[in-house]
Amino acid sequence: MPLDPKKLELKFDGCPFGVSARRIHEHMTLAQINPFARSVASVQSPRDAAGLIDLVRFDSAGMFSLTGATLAGLDDAVHGAAVPADELAAARQGAAQAAVRAFVGQVAAAAKQHAGRRAARNVPARFLPPAGASDPFGVPLLRSRLCQHLATQARAKAGAAQWLATLRNLAQKGLRDEEVQRSGLIAFLQARGADAPPLTGKDLAQAADFSALRVSVIANITEARTQLRFEPASDRPVAKIKGEAKPQAGQRRRLQLFDRVLGYRIEELEHAALWGRDRHWQAVSFDGRVLRQRLTRRAIFETPAGAITRAQEHAREVMPKLLASERWVDWSWSGGEDYREWLITLPLFPATFLSSHFDARNVLAHVRCDLREGADGERVLMLHELQSDWMQSARRGLREQENGADGRYPFLREWPALTLKLMLLHAAGLGVDAMAWTRGAHQAHRYRGRGAEGLKELYDRTLTREAGRMLKPFGLACETLEVYVPDNFSIRRTEGGYEVSSVEGAVLGVAASFQEARDLLPDGAHECLYAVHGVRLSQAARGAILEQGFTACG
């Protein structure tokens, strides 16, 4: 039984602690990283599932933050600093409540079901290759400026007080204070006694821990409504299924439709009746089982459509197919290929932010993009929107406070630059000729003038300024590019491929690929060139970006 997305947290009675299955739910449903030492497939009992459930602390407003421990960690002899000693007894008492035991049982059942499902087709490709052990922010080629400086002082030795002074001096010379604070080095050095031996720069670099700022970029995905692609049976024999029941006496069974990937089939049954021969249909699963109707439990269907519907339902239950979500595609220009909604998340950050636009926890920023043709035939990664609901909420909260607490909000002022860096790495990996983003006027028109000045500030000034600054070392600069946008037709992605429509919404045709959809355009189809902000990426520039990368901060 899948977990209920609206019931992923449970607060203990009598204390501020509780449990959350949100992060493991995101791993199972959104392909988010698994932040736990135990894999979902290893869960055999509720005790195992307790290692996949976060112990969290709730505040007076009902928001929760990670303690750094799991529910299983409450029983450990060494529980670290996750729960203060004076609150440990109350937390353990809360964890023993019957409601918590039921919650753990639900997580165990969901984990077993997930592990038993077979992975499905069309899972979106990775945003970037997996990170290596030397990537401090969890993304390849996203570096730490602090660690780079410490590497230049790898053999230099100094005491804790001297290193603290060095870090303060670096902050004055342009190193972002957030990077220093989030590294954990301040607390590390302050905890060392006066008689502690000196440390080298290499020692400090190894002690730096940016796990709270670990970045994970995931596609916004959804389960497909249609799992199977039935095709008419060919003359080529289909492999027999082990254990398949034999036809009854006087019955003739013929294969009519077949899904070549998952192995489901629709069969026509003919058998003798009083007035001749009757025809019915049955749906057979990949393992040879005849699927029964849900209500009547009959194994035959009056129409092939009924059998197909039952097969689709079964496949959706046992072998869910994940597709790139197009939840917000209507807020983008049509005519692009491979539309994606990328979510830049911070799964290990202790505090929790939940957006109204997406289901994932701690979405630092989201990007909606596609691939389209430029004026000179170049292939352009087009960014339709870059936004951060979290940081918008943070700025509103800070304005309402007399003393701003920037430290509670990761990348508060860095998120536009960080998002551009990630998208440039993605563009270089895709091998596109350019990356572009909309102008503020486009955004203002899209949202009917709401927040026009803020949109122009972000898209026309902030993004262009940050892109110019980070690309200058590569010899690149922002410029005005042009991309094609349909004028009197639209091409949108569907589960099965692409759909071509008129401006009135009439469907002109469907196709399996973007190029086939283009071939369906009628005479008179017209596109306009829209001027956008962007940067051209030559092969040499792409290679340099993929070799040097970017610093996460600054």
Side-chain angles (χ1 to χ4, degrees):
M1 189 73 180
L3 295 172
D4 185 344
K6 297 180 180 179
K7 298 179 180 179
L8 295 175
E9 281 77 42
L10 177 66
K11 188 178 183 300
F12 298 162
D13 291 335
C15 69
F17 296 101
V19 287
S20 172
R22 189 169 297 275
R23 293 203 296 171
I24 198 59
H25 173 73
E26 290 180 1
H27 170 64
M28 293 188 293
T29 60
L30 299 177
Q32 179 62 282
I33 62 170
N34 183 357
F36 304 105
R38 177 180 292 278
S39 70
V40 175
S42 71
V43 173
Q44 299 297 319
S45 67
R47 183 175 179 82
D48 296 337
L52 302 177
I53 300 174
D54 283 306
L55 180 70
V56 299
R57 178 187 287 271
F58 289 88
D59 61 20
S60 58
M63 297 297 294
F64 67 91
S65 58
L66 305 180
T67 63
T70 63
L71 182 59
L74 274 177
D75 296 328
D76 294 343
V78 179
H79 61 273
V83 181
D86 59 340
E87 296 181 301
L88 185 57
R92 286 177 172 168
Q93 185 176 359
Q97 295 167 2
V100 178
R101 292 197 298 272
F103 184 89
V104 175
Q106 292 167 3
V107 175
K112 287 182 178 180
Q113 182 187 50
H114 176 80
R117 288 177 165 189
R118 296 206 286 183
R121 301 166 289 178
N122 293 349
V123 178
R126 287 180 179 272
F127 180 80
L128 288 170
S134 60
D135 296 313
F137 295 97
V139 172
L141 299 172
L142 197 60
R143 311 188 190 285
S144 163
R145 180 168 290 181
L146 172 59
C147 290
Q148 285 181 337
H149 174 79
L150 293 174
T152 65
Q153 305 292 318
R155 296 184 179 182
K157 285 188 177 183
Q162 188 173 347
W163 277 119
L164 282 169
T166 298
L167 293 181
R168 286 193 291 270
N169 185 50
L170 288 173
Q172 294 174 356
K173 293 183 177 180
L175 184 69
R176 295 291 196 269
D177 182 64
E178 179 176 19
E179 184 172 1
V180 176
Q181 297 297 327
R182 299 287 186 195
S183 70
L185 292 181
I186 299 295
F188 172 76
L189 292 170
Q190 290 176 341
R192 294 180 66 83
D195 56 347
L199 296 165
T200 65
K202 182 179 180 180
D203 294 331
L204 278 192
Q206 292 176 340
D209 181 10
F210 293 100
S211 58
L213 296 183
R214 179 188 172 109
V215 175
S216 176
V217 186
I218 59 176
N220 189 29
I221 58 178
T222 187
E223 287 194 6
R225 296 181 298 275
T226 302
Q227 298 290 99
L228 308 173
R229 298 191 187 101
F230 282 116
E231 301 175 4
S234 64
D235 295 334
R236 187 176 58 183
V238 178
K240 291 185 177 180
I241 300 175
K242 185 178 180 180
E244 183 179 13
K246 296 180 179 180
Q248 301 173 9
Q251 182 188 73
R252 185 171 63 182
R253 188 167 66 199
R254 291 186 301 179
L255 176 64
Q256 294 287 1
L257 300 171
F258 184 66
D259 180 276
R260 291 185 297 172
V261 176
L262 299 185
Y264 284 75
R265 57 181 68 193
I266 304 298
E267 296 177 341
E268 181 188 55
L269 305 178
E270 276 194 16
H271 54 86
L274 183 62
W275 306 106
R277 297 188 67 83
D278 282 351
R279 288 201 309 166
H280 295 92
W281 285 264
Q282 69 180 16
V284 182
S285 68
F286 62 91
D287 55 359
R289 290 191 296 122
V290 175
L291 303 178
R292 296 181 176 273
Q293 297 187 41
R294 289 188 180 277
L295 295 179
T296 66
R297 306 305 299 163
R298 297 181 69 199
I300 59 174
F301 296 81
E302 298 299 324
T303 65
I308 291 172
T309 298
R310 183 67 186 97
Q312 294 284 11
E313 290 176 349
H314 185 268
R316 193 159 53 242
E317 292 169 358
V318 301
M319 292 186 287
K321 181 168 64 176
L322 301 178
L323 298 173
S325 174
E326 299 176 0
R327 184 175 180 182
W328 306 106
V329 67
D330 289 339
W331 294 91
S332 302
W333 297 327
S334 80
E337 184 179 6
D338 288 341
Y339 172 83
R340 291 287 185 268
E341 296 172 1
W342 294 110
L343 311 181
I344 301 169
T345 69
L346 299 178
L348 304 185
F349 193 76
T352 292
F353 175 80
L354 299 175
S355 167
S356 61
H357 291 105
F358 302 99
D359 296 329
R361 171 182 173 271
N362 285 0
V363 177
L364 175 68
H366 64 264
V367 180
R368 297 187 295 101
C369 61
D370 61 23
L371 298 171
R372 60 185 58 226
E373 184 181 355
D376 299 323
E378 66 269 46
R379 193 162 172 254
V380 181
L381 176 63
M382 183 68 218
L383 313 184
H384 293 276
E385 183 179 54
L386 294 81
Q387 193 54 267
S388 175
D389 296 341
W390 192 359
M391 295 306 109
Q392 281 188 346
S393 175
R395 284 193 294 273
R396 286 194 296 268
L398 290 173
R399 284 197 296 268
E400 296 169 0
Q401 300 174 7
E402 292 185 5
N403 298 314
D406 290 17
R408 291 185 294 136
Y409 306 111
F411 298 108
L412 178 63
R413 294 172 176 82
E414 293 278 345
W415 76 264
L418 177 63
T419 302
L420 279 178
K421 292 169 185 175
L422 291 170
M423 296 311 299
L424 282 165
L425 289 171
H426 182 54
L430 290 175
V432 296
D433 303 307
M435 187 182 85
W437 57 94
T438 58
R439 295 159 56 202
H442 295 139
Q443 295 291 332
H445 175 75
R446 179 175 293 160
Y447 294 104
R448 299 181 180 179
R450 287 178 296 170
E453 287 306 312
L455 292 170
K456 292 177 182 178
E457 176 65 31
L458 174 62
Y459 288 90
D460 296 336
R461 292 184 279 277
T462 300
L463 294 179
T464 54
R465 180 181 66 249
E466 293 296 333
R469 179 180 60 82
M470 69 183 66
L471 290 171
K472 187 175 181 180
F474 298 96
L476 303 175
C478 287
E479 58 183 290
T480 298
L481 303 179
E482 292 180 319
V483 295
Y484 282 105
V485 178
D487 180 38
N488 60 352
F489 67 94
S490 72
I491 298 179
R492 298 285 192 192
R493 283 197 60 150
T494 64
E495 280 193 2
Y498 291 85
E499 183 178 270
V500 182
S501 303
S502 68
V503 289
E504 294 81 14
V507 176
L508 303 178
V510 294
S513 69
F514 181 75
Q515 187 53 54
E516 290 173 353
R518 299 276 308 177
D519 294 340
L520 293 175
L521 295 179
D523 292 341
H526 183 259
E527 294 178 291
C528 295
L529 281 171
Y530 282 19
V532 294
H533 303 296
V535 57
R536 298 184 187 276
L537 300 171
S538 65
Q539 183 177 354
R542 296 194 300 267
I545 289 173
L546 293 177
E547 180 180 356
Q548 300 177 36
F550 299 100
T551 56
C553 299

